[in-house]
């Protein structure tokens, strides 16, 4: 059956495409299940119907348990009853059981109350869906509108051709207009009908443009990051090179200082020894000169530390005086 339906749909589609080759065939679809799930009135009625069906099931289950208990009682009492009484009670039990089965068929059978009420509940919604689909097909010149929930298998369906939201809005507007009790509510419902329908083709083009724009911005951002990384790498290379030059300069300076210190005794010995100081310098070894220089630097450092401690103490005293003055005021 499905294959025949698909074959007929394909044949109709090909004929329509041939006859409307220049205009192009416009196809859309709806999802009836999605629409029904989002109609509050239908969902409320379905909840009430489910509750009623559950009450019927509980009633049938209770009667079946009662019959089962009667069978057990009869089985326990058979030894005390005559054959005529046993046959009579078995006939009564069978009659009650048939009545329950008939009642179950009446409630849940193919033509039972549950199916009839479901059809009665579905019919108004189906009429509204059919009317909304007809209006959309006429206003937007669709050639085919399929139902995704039907037996016709849809192997693929693009979201841009889904008219379920438009149909649902149409049903909602109709329901509001029908239930409107005041003129203000009626006017609001009529104004809502003026809301323009969504153009899926325009939305698809806009979405494609947005995606291209996002890709372009992503490429620009990636290129900017690459430039920043290259710039940072170049700056790091320059900094490393500068640090290396400074280290080489410091090393050369230290070598010159070491060479000067090593030549100091010889130079002093070559000069005339006219004073007591010159004699003392001449007699000093290189190690003594280095030690004196180190002691001198240590003394200077200690003096600087003392000076810093004095300044720090002075600052703390000034702050304390200022704080005490503020508190006294």
């Amino acid at each position: 059956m499905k294959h025949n339906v698909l074959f007929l749909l394909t044949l109709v589609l090909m004929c329509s495409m041939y006859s409307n080759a220049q205009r192009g065939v416009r196809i859309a679809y709806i999802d009836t299940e999605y629409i029904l799930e989002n109609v509050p009135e239908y969902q409320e009625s379905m909840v009430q119907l489910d509750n009623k069906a559950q009450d019927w099931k509980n009633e049938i289950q209770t009667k079946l348990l009662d019959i089962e208990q009667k069978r057990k009682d009869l089985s326990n009492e058979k030894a005390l009853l005559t054959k005529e009484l046993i046959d009579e009670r078995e006939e009564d039990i069978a009659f009650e059981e048939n009545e329950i089965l008939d009642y179950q068929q009446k409630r849940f059978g193919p033509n039972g109350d549950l199916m009839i009420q479901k059809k009665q509940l579905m019919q108004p919604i189906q009429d509204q869906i059919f009317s909304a689909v007809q209006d959309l097909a006429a206003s937007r010149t669709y050639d085919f509108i399929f139902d995704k929930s039907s037996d016709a298998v849809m192997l693929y369906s693009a979201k841009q051709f889904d008219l379920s939201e438009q149909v649902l809005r149409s049903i909602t507007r109709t329901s509001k207009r029908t239930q409107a009790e005041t003129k203000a509510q009626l006017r609001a419902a009529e104004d809502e009908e003026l809301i323009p329908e969504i153009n899926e083709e325009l939305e698809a083009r806009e979405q494609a443009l947005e995606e291209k724009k996002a890709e372009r911005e992503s490429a620009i951002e990636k290129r900017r990051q690459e430039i920043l990384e290259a710039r940072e790498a170049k700056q790091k290379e320059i900094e490393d090179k500068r640090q290396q030059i400074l280290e080489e300069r410091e090393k050369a300076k230290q070598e010159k200082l070491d060479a000067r210190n090593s030549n100091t005794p010889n130079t002093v010995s070559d000069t005339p020894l006219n004073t007591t100081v010159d004699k003392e310098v001449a007699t000093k070894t290189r190690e003594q000169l280095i030690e004196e220089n180190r002691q001198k630097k240590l003394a200077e450092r200690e003096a600087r530390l003392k000076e810093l401690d004095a300044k720090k103490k002075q600052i703390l005293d000034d702050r304390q005086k200022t704080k005490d003055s503020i508190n006294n005021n």
Side-chain angles (χ1 to χ4, degrees):
M1 181 64 182
K2 289 184 178 180
H3 293 293
N4 293 333
V5 172
L6 289 176
F7 175 74
L8 291 174
L9 289 175
T10 305
L11 182 61
V12 172
L13 180 62
M14 291 178 63
C15 294
S16 178
M17 289 177 63
Y18 178 77
S19 61
N20 300 286
Q22 294 184 358
R23 179 176 65 86
V25 178
R26 290 175 58 82
I27 300 175
Y29 70 93
I30 62 171
D31 189 348
T32 304
E33 292 182 359
Y34 171 78
I35 296 172
L36 294 177
E37 289 174 358
N38 290 274
V39 176
E41 295 83 359
Y42 175 77
Q43 291 299 320
E44 292 175 2
S45 301
M46 285 300 297
V47 170
Q48 295 177 3
L49 186 59
D50 290 340
N51 293 334
K52 188 180 292 186
Q54 188 62 41
D55 292 339
W56 292 340
K57 288 180 181 179
N58 293 336
E59 182 183 0
I60 293 170
Q61 186 67 25
T62 301
K63 291 182 178 181
L64 290 175
L65 291 175
D66 187 28
I67 290 175
E68 186 65 26
Q69 185 62 40
K70 288 182 179 180
R71 281 206 176 100
K72 289 181 181 180
D73 294 341
L74 178 60
S75 177
N76 294 331
E77 296 174 3
K78 274 187 178 181
L80 304 175
L81 299 175
T82 62
K83 186 176 182 304
E84 290 78 6
L85 290 174
I86 293 173
D87 293 339
E88 183 179 351
R89 290 181 62 177
E90 287 180 348
E91 185 178 353
D92 293 339
I93 292 172
F95 180 78
E96 291 181 6
E97 186 176 15
N98 290 330
E99 281 188 341
I100 294 174
L101 294 177
D102 292 339
Y103 180 77
Q104 185 177 15
Q105 189 71 12
K106 176 185 177 183
R107 295 298 191 188
F108 298 101
N111 298 319
D113 296 338
L114 182 62
M115 294 301 297
I116 292 173
Q117 293 188 23
K118 277 187 177 181
K119 290 179 180 178
Q120 292 176 352
L121 184 63
M122 284 284 296
Q123 190 62 44
I125 305 296
Q126 287 178 342
D127 293 341
Q128 292 181 29
I129 293 174
F130 180 76
S131 177
V133 168
Q134 293 292 320
D135 294 340
L136 284 173
S139 62
R140 303 177 64 176
T141 63
Y142 282 106
D143 297 298
F144 298 98
I145 297 180
F146 298 102
D147 185 1
K148 189 177 181 180
S149 304
S150 64
D151 293 335
V153 180
M154 298 183 69
L155 300 179
Y156 174 77
S157 57
K159 185 64 178 176
Q160 64 189 32
F161 302 114
D162 189 0
L163 302 180
S164 301
E165 288 293 342
Q166 288 89 317
V167 173
L168 184 60
R169 283 201 301 272
S170 177
I171 294 174
T172 304
R173 290 196 300 267
T174 303
S175 176
K176 288 181 179 180
R177 189 170 60 251
T178 303
Q179 297 176 2
E181 297 178 355
T182 63
K183 292 183 178 180
Q185 293 176 348
L186 182 60
R187 186 161 51 252
E190 292 176 351
D191 292 340
E192 190 175 355
E193 292 184 359
L194 299 177
I195 298 175
E197 298 290 344
I198 298 174
N199 190 334
E200 289 85 357
E201 296 178 358
L202 180 59
E203 280 192 348
R205 289 198 297 270
E206 291 178 352
Q207 185 177 0
L209 291 174
E210 288 294 333
E211 291 176 355
K212 289 182 180 179
K213 183 179 178 181
E215 291 177 359
R216 184 165 59 252
E217 291 178 353
S218 176
I220 292 172
E221 181 64 21
K222 184 178 179 181
R223 178 59 180 166
R224 190 176 71 84
Q225 291 294 334
E226 291 176 353
I227 293 173
L228 290 176
E229 291 175 359
R231 186 179 299 169
E232 290 176 358
K234 190 174 182 180
Q235 289 178 353
K236 187 176 183 302
E237 183 181 356
I238 294 172
E239 185 65 26
D240 293 341
K241 198 170 184 179
R242 177 174 171 275
Q243 187 66 27
Q244 183 180 358
I245 293 172
L246 291 175
E247 291 176 357
E248 291 176 354
R249 288 180 180 176
E250 187 66 26
K251 184 178 179 182
K253 184 178 179 181
Q254 187 64 36
E255 289 177 353
K256 288 181 181 181
L257 182 61
D258 293 342
R260 188 182 298 115
N261 291 333
S262 62
N263 294 330
T264 299
N266 296 332
T267 305
V268 172
S269 62
D270 292 339
T271 58
L273 303 177
N274 295 327
T275 64
T276 305
V277 177
D278 293 336
K279 290 179 181 180
E280 291 177 357
V281 172
T283 57
K284 289 180 180 179
T285 62
R286 179 173 178 272
E287 289 77 8
Q288 289 174 337
L289 291 171
I290 293 174
E291 180 64 22
E292 287 180 358
N293 190 20
R294 190 177 68 82
Q295 291 296 332
K296 183 180 179 181
K297 290 182 178 180
L298 289 174
E300 292 175 354
R301 183 179 299 170
E302 289 178 358
R304 284 197 302 272
L305 290 174
K306 289 180 180 180
E307 184 181 355
L308 290 174
D309 289 338
K311 288 183 179 180
K312 182 178 179 182
K313 185 178 180 181
Q314 181 65 32
I315 291 170
L316 292 175
D317 291 340
D318 293 341
R319 287 181 180 175
Q320 185 63 34
K321 288 179 180 179
T322 304
K323 186 176 179 181
D324 294 339
S325 176
I326 292 172
N327 291 332
N328 291 331
N329 292 332

